[in-house]
Amino acid sequence: MRTKNWMNKKVFGIRGRFSKMMKCIRSGEQLKADEIAHSSDSLATRDYSASGYSSRAGEVEVKMDNSNIEEAESSLRESGYLNYEEARALLGRLEYQKGNIEAALHVFEGIDIAAVTPKMKLSVSRKCENNNRRRSQSDAVPPMSMHAVSLLLEAIFLKAKSLQGLGRYGEAAQSCKVILDTVESALPDGLPESFASDCKLQETLTKAVELLPELWKLSGSLNEAVLSYRRALLYHWNLDTEAATKIQKEFAVFLLYSGCDASPPNLRSQLDGSFVPRNNLEEAILLLLVILRKFVRGKIPWDPSIIDHLSYALSISGELMALAHQVEELPPGTIERKERFCTPALCYYGEGNHLVALNLLRNILNNHQQSTDCIPELLLASKICSENLVYIDEGIDHACKALSKMDGKCSQMVSISNCLLGTLLSAKSRSSASDSERVRKQSEALQALEIAERTMEERNPYIVFHLCLEHAEQRKLDIALNYANQLLQIEAGSSVKGYTLLARILSAQKRFVDAETVINAALDQTGKWDQGELLRTKAKLQIAQGQIKKAIETYTHLLAVLQVRNKSKSAGVEKRLLKNTRNHDRSLEMETWHDLASLYTRLSQWRDAEVCLSKSQAINPHSASRWHCAGLLYEAKGLHQEALKSFRKALDVEPTHVPSLVSTGCILRQLGGQSLPVVRSFLMDALRIDRTNSCAWYNLGLIYKADEGASALEAIECFEAAALLEESEPIEPFR
């Protein structure tokens, strides 16, 4: 009982002394010496009357916060007194809780942080040392209690928050940084697990770790923000899973969208062979994958934004297959079934695996419950089908179904759907067996494209391009030229395809000089790596004008550009290219060697032509166009049987290769010994695939002329078609 009574008196005394101390701070009065006899560094030794926060007469005194009293009790129990800094910390917290940010900041600024920081470091260090080994009488007593350390660190944190509220972000960041510097210098190896037993101190540290990067961002110091994020994640702060995940996500978002070009992290502590990110993108992807792995292991709840950010990061880095695998590995039920199939389908399509993408989309489209609201999936499926003649009919069905579901809801979607339908019908017309069906499909295709043009809210370059292409293929060159000029205006000259199509239309009108001028203008506005197609078109225009030497120089320039690009890729200048881009470069280089081989063949420079073909063989030994060029070389040398073998090998590789079909028919006609119907069959197959091939029409006319049983009118019609097509034939196919 005597002990209990003594404790009650002690607590009451503590509360009384604290209340008097708070009143003293507010009023500017001094505490009596006997009330604070234990404190050599108390408020009684300082003059605070000039603070400007003394109570006024008649002013109602605000009640004390119980948490402040409890903090004071804890400090008084441990040290026997409440010093000046601790009192200011408590009063500052009270003002901050009341919303008096400026008053709180004024109180916090009275704390001599430089003086108390060494004491806090020593106290934290000794506290952790004592926890790690048995206590002994020789243990040094920390200069401050952990309650005092926690109180002062919280005061520094609240000072940073106050500065943030006043818009002084740089000062706030510096203040917040003091907290982390203090703890990190006291515990270089990280916080021990037992450190979390002081909940208040751990809470302050966690808040400071989360706040510091945000303050640096607000102050515009983006590099400092990056360093703060890395510091938060690499040092052992005893963060819980939720806090660590929050920081990882915020850092990943910052790396992706801030525009800050952060230097790679210096992870000296990592083992040899460990992955170290080389740029913002890789670091963001790594962080997002870590978060995703936490979800898979059940440590955190699902956050849909993670897969959104990861989709963006992996897409722009060219890692589409990695994105597809991440989506496919998600536990069932994480995302909607439609998204689970649609996202990988987009990835496979981007990587050129069109059939896989189409099969994934069929899982959605064949499900009657989910096919009611899947217009984007229908449009993607129809676009994939438009690029493969085998699936043209399926693509038309998808486009028509998408149009029927929209019912005029969105004019933009209606416009795109009609455009896709038009491209599908155009592809269907090219494979039509009869002329009447071909003309009908061409008319339907043009009608769908015109509807797409009328319904688009803004000029859509995709629709204008296909309208231009369709008119050009139907040899409506004036209309096509008008659309080509519109396309350049819409895209502001940013598309290589637009320039190339305009040059081809001008070449079909035999305006070779104008076409070359267009290509030269495009070259001036295009980056070095994107000039390949333009240079090839320029060389062909020069050949059409009889400028053979200039054409060879242009081809040589093109090959030099491709060679430099290949070297830069191997040296790591371009870390990652999409598969389609890499294949395009190889295909362009191979076709350039074929163009040179054909040019040297016309010039009877056999050796140079053979060298070009050997270069092409190193890229792809099984190319139909290479075998065709070799056949032309043999034919020019007078080796007709060898030429025929080469043409047949080309057809073995690609049965629908039109130049080889025409050349086979021509060489068979020259050799004789074959029935005219056999020769005619090769030419008819070529025309079935490409109705605009003037060479096929001309040779077919020769066959009809040589056939005694054939009508002379048929030969005349073939010659007329050949002459008409040759007059409007571009230097390259429009499509």
Side-chain angles (χ1 to χ4, degrees):
M1 287 294 295
R2 295 175 64 185
T3 304
K4 185 176 180 181
N5 292 334
W6 181 84
M7 287 295 296
N8 290 334
K9 289 179 180 179
K10 187 72 174 177
V11 171
F12 178 77
I14 290 172
R15 288 179 180 267
R17 282 153 53 194
F18 175 70
S19 298
K20 288 182 179 181
M21 185 173 289
M22 290 296 102
K23 290 177 182 179
C24 175
I25 294 174
R26 293 174 182 279
S27 63
E29 296 175 0
Q30 298 286 340
L31 281 175
K32 294 181 181 179
D34 58 350
E35 292 177 334
I36 51 169
H38 296 285
S39 176
S40 60
D41 189 21
S42 65
L43 284 170
T45 63
R46 315 240 179 155
D47 182 12
Y48 190 56
S49 59
S51 66
Y53 296 101
S54 57
S55 300
R56 295 183 189 141
E59 198 174 75
V60 180
E61 189 171 303
V62 182
K63 284 188 176 182
M64 293 286 182
D65 191 334
N66 287 334
S67 63
N68 293 327
I69 297 176
E70 291 168 2
E71 290 289 341
E73 290 177 2
S74 299
S75 295
L76 288 169
R77 285 195 188 100
E78 292 195 12
S79 61
Y81 65 90
L82 189 67
N83 67 18
Y84 180 81
E85 279 75 18
E86 295 169 38
R88 274 187 174 274
L90 287 170
L91 179 60
R93 182 211 285 172
L94 184 62
E95 294 291 347
Y96 183 85
Q97 290 171 344
K98 288 161 55 181
N100 300 331
I101 295 178
E102 293 185 2
L105 179 60
H106 188 90
V107 175
F108 288 137
E109 286 177 340
I111 300 175
D112 191 351
I113 295 176
V116 299
T117 298
K119 297 178 183 179
M120 289 192 291
K121 291 180 183 178
L122 190 57
S123 300
V124 171
S125 178
R126 288 184 180 176
K127 175 69 174 177
C128 293
E129 288 176 2
N130 294 341
N131 288 342
N132 292 336
R133 56 190 172 87
R134 288 188 175 184
R135 289 183 173 273
S136 64
Q137 293 182 353
S138 62
D139 286 342
V141 178
M144 298 178 69
S145 68
M146 292 307 293
H147 284 290
V149 172
S150 176
L151 187 61
L152 290 171
L153 289 179
E154 184 193 24
I156 299 172
F157 174 77
L158 292 179
K159 178 183 176 182
K161 292 290 290 182
S162 301
L163 289 166
Q164 179 189 10
L166 295 173
R168 295 158 61 180
Y169 303 119
E171 297 175 56
Q174 293 292 349
S175 179
C176 190
K177 186 173 179 289
V178 170
I179 302 173
L180 307 187
D181 290 343
T182 301
V183 176
E184 192 171 2
S185 60
L187 303 171
D189 297 329
L191 276 64
E193 297 296 333
S194 59
F195 195 82
S197 59
D198 190 336
C199 298
K200 188 65 177 178
L201 182 54
Q202 181 65 59
E203 180 185 350
T204 302
L205 283 176
T206 301
K207 289 180 179 178
V209 169
E210 293 177 351
L211 178 64
L212 183 56
E214 296 299 323
L215 293 174
W216 285 126
K217 286 191 289 185
L218 290 170
S219 68
S221 304
L222 301 185
N223 287 325
E224 291 293 338
V226 171
L227 295 176
S228 298
Y229 274 124
R230 289 173 180 164
R231 181 183 192 180
L233 297 174
L234 294 176
Y235 185 79
H236 186 60
W237 296 106
N238 271 351
L239 301 177
D240 57 26
T241 304
E242 182 180 354
T245 303
K246 179 175 179 287
I247 294 172
Q248 288 167 342
K249 178 184 174 181
E250 289 177 354
F251 188 24
V253 171
F254 177 77
L255 289 169
L256 286 176
Y257 311 114
S258 68
C260 173
D261 188 13
S263 58
N266 182 17
L267 303 180
R268 290 172 294 181
S269 60
Q270 294 288 347
L271 298 175
D272 292 340
S274 298
F275 174 75
V276 178
R278 295 170 294 183
N279 50 49
N280 287 22
L281 201 55
E282 288 187 358
E283 194 168 2
I285 291 171
L286 180 61
L287 290 166
L288 293 169
L289 289 175
V290 169
I291 298 173
L292 202 59
R293 199 59 55 215
K294 288 181 185 178
F295 163 73
V296 172
R297 293 177 179 174
K299 294 183 178 180
I300 58 172
W302 172 242
D303 182 357
S305 66
I306 297 301
I307 202 67
D308 294 337
H309 295 309
L310 188 61
S311 299
Y312 170 74
L314 289 174
S315 297
I316 64 174
S317 65
E319 297 286 352
L320 295 177
M321 292 311 302
L323 174 59
H325 294 328
Q326 290 299 324
V327 174
E328 290 167 348
E329 290 173 3
L330 289 175
T334 303
I335 57 178
E336 293 183 5
R337 186 175 184 273
K338 185 167 68 172
E339 184 181 357
R340 190 178 186 85
F341 285 108
C342 187
T343 301
L346 286 167
C347 295
Y348 282 107
Y349 177 71
E351 285 287 336
N353 299 324
H354 294 181
L355 184 57
V356 177
L358 185 59
N359 286 332
L360 287 168
L361 292 171
R362 285 168 177 164
N363 286 309
I364 306 171
L365 302 178
N366 294 337
N367 187 328
H368 295 292
Q369 294 180 348
Q370 292 190 339
S371 61
T372 55
D373 184 23
C374 52
I375 294 174
E377 290 76 17
L378 285 167
L379 296 180
L380 177 58
S382 63
K383 179 172 174 55
I384 295 172
C385 292
S386 68
E387 298 167 3
N388 192 324
L389 291 175
V390 178
Y391 305 109
I392 292 296
D393 291 330
E394 181 182 352
I396 293 173
D397 290 340
H398 291 321
C400 292
K401 189 179 293 185
L403 283 169
S404 66
K405 289 179 180 296
M406 276 182 279
D407 193 23
K409 294 178 182 177
C410 175
S411 59
Q412 286 289 86
M413 297 291 279
V414 171
S415 179
I416 291 295
S417 300
N418 277 294
C419 181
L420 288 171
L421 179 60
T423 58
L424 286 159
L425 291 169
S426 177
K428 181 70 173 177
S429 70
R430 293 192 294 274
S431 61
S432 299
S434 64
D435 288 343
S436 59
E437 184 183 2
R438 177 175 56 83
V439 171
R440 182 171 62 84
K441 291 297 181 185
Q442 283 181 342
S443 176
E444 291 176 358
L446 201 55
Q447 183 180 2
L449 289 170
E450 288 171 350
I451 293 173
E453 182 187 19
R454 289 197 300 269
T455 53
M456 60 183 178
E457 294 180 358
E458 298 178 356
R459 302 295 289 173
N460 189 324
Y462 182 81
I463 297 173
V464 175
F465 174 80
H466 283 284
L467 265 169
C468 177
L469 194 59
E470 190 62 29
H471 282 293
E473 286 196 326
Q474 295 185 25
R475 295 299 193 267
K476 300 174 182 177
L477 297 180
D478 290 336
I479 300 176
L481 183 62
N482 180 38
Y483 279 115
N485 287 321
Q486 288 184 35
L487 183 62
L488 283 185
Q489 292 177 359
I490 295 169
E491 296 180 328
S494 62
S495 171
V496 172
K497 286 199 309 181
Y499 280 114
T500 305
L501 182 56
L502 176 58
R504 289 170 181 170
I505 294 170
L506 289 171
S507 71
Q509 294 178 330
K510 307 309 175 189
R511 296 165 59 183
F512 300 119
V513 176
D514 292 340
E516 189 174 358
T517 302
V518 168
I519 293 298
N520 288 332
L523 289 170
D524 291 338
Q525 300 183 38
T526 307
K528 180 171 60 177
W529 302 138
D530 299 324
Q531 291 181 353
E533 292 288 351
L534 295 171
L535 288 170
R536 188 181 179 209
T537 302
K538 181 178 180 178
K540 291 184 176 182
L541 286 168
Q542 290 169 335
I543 293 172
Q545 297 174 75
Q547 302 170 357
I548 305 300
K549 186 177 180 180
K550 287 185 177 180
I552 293 174
E553 291 175 356
T554 303
Y555 278 128
T556 304
H557 181 198
L558 169 56
L559 291 170
V561 170
L562 293 173
Q563 187 177 12
V564 171
R565 181 167 188 175
N566 288 333
K567 286 183 178 179
S568 68
K569 285 188 287 184
S570 60
V573 175
E574 295 183 18
K575 302 297 182 183
R576 175 72 179 169
L577 283 174
L578 290 175
K579 181 180 177 181
N580 290 347
T581 305
R582 297 196 306 274
N583 291 342
H584 176 267
D585 287 349
R586 290 174 61 84
S587 175
L588 179 59
E589 183 181 358
M590 183 179 66
E591 294 302 329
T592 302
W593 286 118
H594 294 164
D595 290 347
L596 274 171
S598 299
L599 184 57
Y600 286 129
T601 299
R602 288 170 53 185
L603 297 173
S604 300
Q605 298 180 15
W606 317 132
R607 179 58 186 161
D608 291 334
E610 290 170 357
V611 170
C612 293
L613 290 174
S614 66
K615 294 286 188 181
S616 168
Q617 186 176 14
I619 299 173
N620 183 7
H622 306 295
S623 167
S625 59
R626 192 188 75 82
W627 284 114
H628 179 253
C629 288
L632 293 177
L633 178 59
Y634 286 127
E635 185 179 4
K637 289 180 177 181
L639 304 174
H640 297 292
Q641 289 294 341
E642 295 298 324
L644 184 60
K645 290 180 182 178
S646 295
F647 295 144
R648 283 176 172 169
K649 286 181 179 179
L651 293 174
D652 289 340
V653 174
E654 187 179 338
T656 59
H657 192 250
V658 173
S660 296
L661 287 169
V662 175
S663 296
T664 301
C666 293
I667 207 76
L668 288 174
R669 183 180 60 81
Q670 292 176 16
L671 287 173
Q674 292 284 349
S675 63
L676 292 179
V678 173
V679 179
R680 189 187 300 119
S681 67
F682 283 99
L683 298 172
M684 292 300 293
D685 287 343
L687 289 172
R688 180 177 54 81
I689 299 168
D690 181 11
R691 302 287 295 182
T692 61
N693 192 298
S694 61
C695 186
W697 283 110
Y698 175 75
N699 282 280
L700 185 60
L702 293 176
I703 296 298
Y704 281 125
K705 182 180 178 182
D707 188 357
E708 296 178 356
S711 169
L713 182 60
E714 291 179 311
I716 293 172
E717 289 177 349
C718 290
F719 290 138
E720 286 179 348
L724 182 63
L725 290 169
E726 189 176 14
E727 287 178 2
S728 59
E729 187 172 26
I731 54 167
E732 297 174 309
F734 291 115
R735 195 174 294 275

